[in-house]
Amino acid sequence: MKYKFIQNNEYIFPIEKMCTVLKLSSSGYFKWKNRPFSKKLLLKEKIKEQITSIYFSSKQRYGSPRITFELNSLGYKISRITVAKYMIELGLRSKLSKKFKVATNSKHTYLVVENVLDRNFIAEKPAQVWVSDITYIQTKEGFLYLTTMIDLYDRKIIGWSLSKGMSTEETSLAAWKMAIKNRKILDGLIFHSDRGVQYASKKIANTIEFYCVTRSMSSKGNCWDNAVAESFFKSLKTELIYGNKLSIKEKMELEIFEYIEVWYNKKRRHSTLNYQTIEEFNNQNKIYQNVA
């Protein structure tokens, strides 16, 4: 480590002076510097360069598990433990999570339905279960409200809406309209959400029932009943928002679009898909040829 420090600073400080301060001989330093690098050491340095590249190309969102799978896909045979060790040596750390508040309001007089999904978050085919939720996004100019609809089969965001208001038309209904454009509704589809007014109002209820879709709602105040939707919001806020300066609404809209459509739906490796991207997962299974 001392020799490495001298090498990194030899154009700033005299080599002899650094050797004296660090209690090293200059001849020992030059012997270290001029030694031939072993193949093992060269491979380690190359892997570290790849780790750094993947880490920053993911905008610091990836930890050791996803970076390991990314390296494996590039042909490097390396374990997660080794990747984690190298990341510590490089001083790289994925962004940390924080708690966030629920945005929907369940204090209303509309009809609520039973929890048909009952925390069964595994779907064997597309358009078997869609889940939806709403969260707030803080900006310099106030809040925006993000509504998402996720297909549990491949965890793709098939519909979403970013709005300035919380009406049903701006939130759940807008996201629903995008979802049915992006993915065909099949017989037996279950649509699960919380009990918020945006999902219980007659406008969204009548729309969903028009397509002969079975509605399902979480039990009162139980976020675990909609854990997949909650997990997405946690990932988004951890990877995109927390730790960064507040943006204006226009910029945030562009960043949310990039996160969902470019990053999450196309490039991000998902642990529930065995660390494949959504596109890799669908290409491998090829059960549903019309997946958007």
Side-chain angles (χ1 to χ4, degrees):
M1 290 180 66
K2 291 181 179 180
Y3 286 150
K4 193 70 176 177
F5 174 84
I6 294 173
Q7 185 181 44
N8 292 337
N9 293 277
E10 62 181 20
Y11 295 105
I12 303 174
F13 307 107
I15 294 173
E16 292 76 9
K17 187 172 183 178
M18 287 190 287
C19 287
T20 300
V21 172
L22 297 173
K23 297 180 180 180
L24 300 171
S25 66
S26 57
S27 60
Y29 167 70
F30 286 111
K31 184 178 180 180
W32 171 86
K33 182 179 178 181
N34 296 325
R35 80 194 191 289
F37 283 92
S38 67
K39 289 184 178 180
K40 186 176 181 180
L41 185 59
L42 287 172
L43 178 60
K44 180 179 179 180
E45 291 302 315
K46 188 174 183 180
I47 290 174
K48 280 188 171 183
E49 289 179 3
Q50 288 287 352
I51 289 173
T52 303
S53 176
I54 294 168
Y55 175 78
F56 284 105
S57 66
S58 72
K59 298 184 179 179
Q60 306 172 55
R61 297 163 179 162
Y62 275 1
S64 59
R66 288 186 173 85
I67 289 180
T68 301
F69 275 85
E70 198 71 43
L71 287 170
N72 290 336
S73 71
L74 295 173
Y76 294 95
K77 295 182 179 180
I78 188 169
S79 69
R80 188 202 64 79
I81 294 174
T82 302
V83 171
K85 177 184 175 183
Y86 289 174
M87 288 183 71
I88 291 173
E89 293 177 3
L90 291 165
L92 305 180
R93 185 179 182 183
S94 63
K95 293 182 178 180
L96 301 177
S97 63
K98 294 183 180 180
K99 293 182 179 180
F100 57 92
K101 298 177 182 179
V102 176
T104 53
N105 178 12
S106 59
K107 294 181 180 180
H108 56 75
T109 58
Y110 293 109
L111 178 68
V112 297
V113 298
E114 65 177 322
N115 186 354
V116 177
L117 184 60
D118 195 25
R119 301 190 187 182
N120 180 14
F121 300 125
I122 303 299
E124 297 178 353
K125 60 183 180 180
Q128 183 177 355
V129 182
W130 293 355
V131 298
S132 182
D133 203 355
I134 304 172
T135 193
Y136 70 90
I137 306 292
Q138 188 173 4
T139 74
K140 284 184 177 180
E141 302 166 316
F143 291 115
L144 291 172
Y145 300 95
L146 176 63
T147 308
T148 58
M149 294 196 178
I150 304 172
D151 191 319
L152 288 188
Y153 170 70
D154 56 4
R155 304 303 169 96
K156 185 172 185 178
I157 307 297
I158 56 173
W160 60 280
S161 172
L162 191 63
S163 58
K164 297 177 182 178
M166 286 282 285
S167 69
T168 299
E169 292 84 354
E170 294 173 288
T171 56
S172 57
L173 200 55
W176 172 267
K177 289 178 180 178
M178 180 188 290
I180 62 176
K181 286 182 179 179
N182 287 333
R183 187 154 292 184
K184 183 179 178 181
I185 292 179
L186 302 180
D187 291 340
L189 173 63
I190 296 173
F191 178 79
H192 184 83
S193 68
D194 63 19
R195 296 184 171 201
V197 65
Q198 295 85 358
Y199 297 105
S201 70
K202 291 183 179 179
K203 288 182 179 179
I204 188 66
N206 292 340
T207 299
I208 294 173
E209 290 172 359
F210 172 81
Y211 289 91
C212 299
V213 172
T214 300
R215 294 167 65 210
S216 173
M217 287 184 174
S218 302
S219 55
K220 189 174 182 180
N222 198 327
C223 63
W224 297 109
D225 287 347
N226 204 7
V228 174
E230 298 276 2
S231 177
F232 168 75
F233 288 146
K234 178 181 178 181
S235 296
L236 178 140
K237 293 196 174 186
T238 299
E239 298 175 1
L240 179 65
I241 298 173
Y242 295 140
N244 297 326
K245 294 181 179 180
L246 292 179
S247 302
I248 60 173
K249 287 183 177 180
E250 184 178 7
K251 184 180 179 183
M252 181 57 69
E253 288 170 357
L254 294 174
E255 290 177 347
I256 294 291
F257 177 89
E258 187 275 337
Y259 182 88
I260 293 176
E261 298 294 350
V262 179
W263 172 250
Y264 193 88
N265 278 349
K266 288 185 168 61
K267 296 182 179 180
R268 189 180 192 271
R269 295 192 175 275
H270 298 262
S271 58
T272 53
L273 304 181
N274 195 26
Y275 289 98
Q276 294 176 299
T277 66
I278 291 173
E279 290 186 346
E280 287 173 346
F281 175 79
N282 285 319
N283 289 335
Q284 182 182 31
N285 289 279
K286 293 185 178 178
I287 296 175
Y288 186 53
Q289 298 295 333
N290 296 320
V291 170

